[in-house]
Amino acid sequence: MIVLRAARRGAADWIVRFMPTANCSVDALAALALRDVRIQRNGGFEVSLKDLTLRDREVAALVGPSGCGKTTLLWGVLGLLPGVSAAGVREVLGQAWPGTGTVAWRKMLAGPVTIVMQDAKAALDPLQRIGVQVETITGRDSNQVAEAFSRFGLADARRFAQAWPHEISGGQAQKVLLAIALLRAPRLLVMD
């Protein structure tokens, strides 16, 4: 494990990096590379990160107290926050991060990059049953969805797939988002 110190000006205090085991094959192409990144919101609050490179199968965690800017940093890097400017080098899968709102940006977020939101229940469509949402988002059939639900310990997965979002707990909603991530098999998984 490697711990990297982040810039102090409003940033998360630590980045904890978990290295893959020695027998893992690590791709030479970085899944994510951030250098001298600064995310500034409306000319005020700023978070920054000096350097973070993740290769395939590596994991890092931004760690810090509530309100220090972990979510702002992640969402700012991904171009998901309005009124935010991002400076520095942001590369994903060996390419510069596409401009917000572009076709390439949408394809990146709909393809090799998957985001698991902090508020799982808010990420679900209240007008669709759970199973239908997961099938639609992932392009997988009901058997694959039920298998993913089972892997995350959701009992009676087929019946669970028929539930509406308001009928499930926050913890179950988090497991639904994790099942979506598993079924999408992204190259880069960002969990807020």
Side-chain angles (χ1 to χ4, degrees):
M1 178 172 67
I2 297 174
V3 178
L4 304 170
R5 188 82 165 124
R8 288 287 307 166
R9 189 171 176 214
D13 287 333
W14 299 95
I15 298 170
V16 181
R17 184 172 174 182
F18 302 92
M19 301 299 292
T21 58
N23 61 356
C24 289
S25 60
V26 178
D27 192 312
L29 180 66
L32 178 68
L34 305 173
R35 286 181 294 286
D36 297 319
V37 171
R38 288 181 326 282
I39 307 297
Q40 189 169 25
R41 181 177 270 184
N42 298 324
F45 183 76
E46 179 180 305
V47 291
S48 59
L49 180 63
K50 186 72 178 156
D51 182 49
L52 175 65
T53 301
L54 290 175
R55 303 221 183 278
D56 283 349
R57 302 180 67 133
E58 287 184 330
V59 176
L62 294 175
V63 180
S66 179
C68 72
K70 299 178 298 288
T71 296
T72 299
L73 180 64
L74 287 175
W75 284 48
V77 164
L78 297 174
L80 295 171
L81 286 177
V84 167
S85 64
V89 176
R90 298 177 298 153
E91 295 177 354
V92 65
L93 307 176
Q95 301 174 7
W97 185 256
T100 301
T102 64
V103 171
W105 176 78
R106 286 184 187 90
K107 283 184 179 178
M108 187 70 73
L109 292 175
V113 177
T114 293
I115 305 163
V116 175
M117 303 296 184
Q118 189 176 94
D119 186 352
K121 287 200 80 159
L124 297 173
D125 181 348
L127 303 177
Q128 284 189 333
R129 294 185 186 273
I130 299 297
V132 171
Q133 290 185 60
V134 176
E135 290 172 33
T136 302
I137 292 167
T138 63
R140 303 299 179 103
D141 65 36
S142 60
N143 292 328
Q144 293 168 314
V145 169
E147 183 180 323
F149 287 167
S150 294
R151 284 184 68 184
F152 284 103
L154 295 166
D156 197 358
R158 293 203 182 280
R159 189 174 55 118
F160 180 82
Q162 296 303 310
W164 296 94
H166 70 273
E167 296 175 325
I168 67 174
S169 71
Q172 289 172 321
Q174 289 175 335
K175 291 178 180 184
V176 168
L177 295 187
L178 291 171
I180 290 170
L182 171 76
L183 290 167
R184 288 190 64 202
R187 289 280 311 276
L188 178 63
L189 176 60
V190 178
M191 298 179 69
D192 185 13

